Amino acid sequence: MRGDDEAAFAFLESLPGLYVVKTDGLAAGKGVVVTESLRDARDAVRAFLSGAAFGDAGRTLVIEEGLSGPEITILVLCDGHDCVALAPTQDHKRVGDGDQGPNTGGMGAYSPVPSAGAAVVDEAMERAVRPTLAALARQGIEYRGILYAGLMLTVDGVKVIEYNVRFGDPECQVVIPRLESDLFRHCYEAASGRLTTAVSFSADACVTVVAAAEGYPVSVRSGDVITGSKPRTPSKG
């Protein structure tokens, strides 16, 4: 909806209690408010539609079904005909410890994910990814590249939160270091329309933690000095 506070408020009041208010435009991964508070959801609607939160990107918004459960991401190689899942990851969107504070573009991630074994990946591919690619094909779109599938593991099975068409961070930063097969070969084959090389991953675990400026993601303070880090000394030889 666009520019209609009262219609949005009426729809919010019809929902059972977990509210998701999201921009329909680009907001650098930060244009969503997930809350159990009707007041906070109404405040988000006002801030989005007025342009105060995200400018024109927020003037059209989506109110979504609230989903509960672990969230995972699966990056999928696509060649226009076939697709291959990379190792699942789990990232954490809330800015504060204990899953508190506003959503961000991701404050960190890890892989592998114990709750997302082969059966979960198969379900995600069959219920979400492959039907999506088939629907694109019916529209004459031969999608080649990386499909980013953000998924929720609900009591009713795997549900899609979002798609993107790129390697996403911080998920990419914990998947690619575990990749033992040739990333260049996988990307080349996806672009060429013929995935043939098997994907393989190490058993090692990988974790990344994001350091963010004070006030992120709402009102970022710039100019702070980062201390305590040491530059790597290039090896000689």
Side-chain angles (χ1 to χ4, degrees), residues 53-124:
F54 297 102
D56 287 342
R59 293 186 190 277
T60 300
L61 60 82
V62 179
I63 298 174
E64 297 182 341
E65 172 190 7
L67 301 176
S68 296
E71 184 178 344
I72 66 167
T73 299
I74 301 177
L75 303 175
V76 184
L77 289 162
C78 306
D79 68 3
H81 310 282
D82 199 6
C83 54
V84 177
L86 302 183
T89 72
Q90 185 174 89
D91 78 317
H92 293 265
K93 294 287 196 295
R94 299 297 184 98
V95 73
D97 292 340
D99 205 26
Q100 301 296 310
N103 269 19
T104 71
M107 295 303 295
Y110 67 89
S111 180
V113 182
S115 61
V120 170
V121 174
D122 289 345
E123 181 185 357

Side-chain angles (χ1 to χ4, degrees), residues 15 31 90 129 161 172 178:
L15 298 177
Q90 185 174 89
V129 174
I161 301 172
C172 180
R178 296 185 57 226

Side-chain angles (χ1 to χ4, degrees), residues 232-237:
R232 291 183 61 186
T233 302
S235 59
K236 297 180 180 180

Side-chain angles (χ1 to χ4, degrees), residues 56-199:
D56 287 342
R59 293 186 190 277
T60 300
L61 60 82
V62 179
I63 298 174
E64 297 182 341
E65 172 190 7
L67 301 176
S68 296
E71 184 178 344
I72 66 167
T73 299
I74 301 177
L75 303 175
V76 184
L77 289 162
C78 306
D79 68 3
H81 310 282
D82 199 6
C83 54
V84 177
L86 302 183
T89 72
Q90 185 174 89
D91 78 317
H92 293 265
K93 294 287 196 295
R94 299 297 184 98
V95 73
D97 292 340
D99 205 26
Q100 301 296 310
N103 269 19
T104 71
M107 295 303 295
Y110 67 89
S111 180
V113 182
S115 61
V120 170
V121 174
D122 289 345
E123 181 185 357
M125 296 294 284
E126 295 307 314
R127 292 188 59 179
V129 174
R130 292 187 190 279
T132 298
L133 295 175
L136 290 174
R138 288 194 294 271
Q139 296 179 50
I141 300 171
E142 186 179 278
Y143 179 66
R144 301 182 185 185
I146 287 287
L147 182 67
Y148 171 113
L151 308 164
M152 187 77 83
L153 308 184
T154 75
V155 293
D156 298 319
V158 174
K159 292 197 175 185
V160 176
I161 301 172
E162 62 174 332
Y163 282 128
N164 216 318
V165 288
R166 58 176 172 81
F167 281 113
D169 64 326
E171 296 92 343
C172 180
Q173 296 165 354
V174 295
V175 172
I176 299 307
R178 296 185 57 226
L179 186 67
E180 292 187 326
S181 48
D182 189 337
L183 176 62
F184 173 81
R185 175 58 57 183
H186 296 316
C187 292
Y188 175 81
E189 290 177 355
S192 300
R194 190 165 180 264
L195 289 170
T196 58
T197 302
V199 172

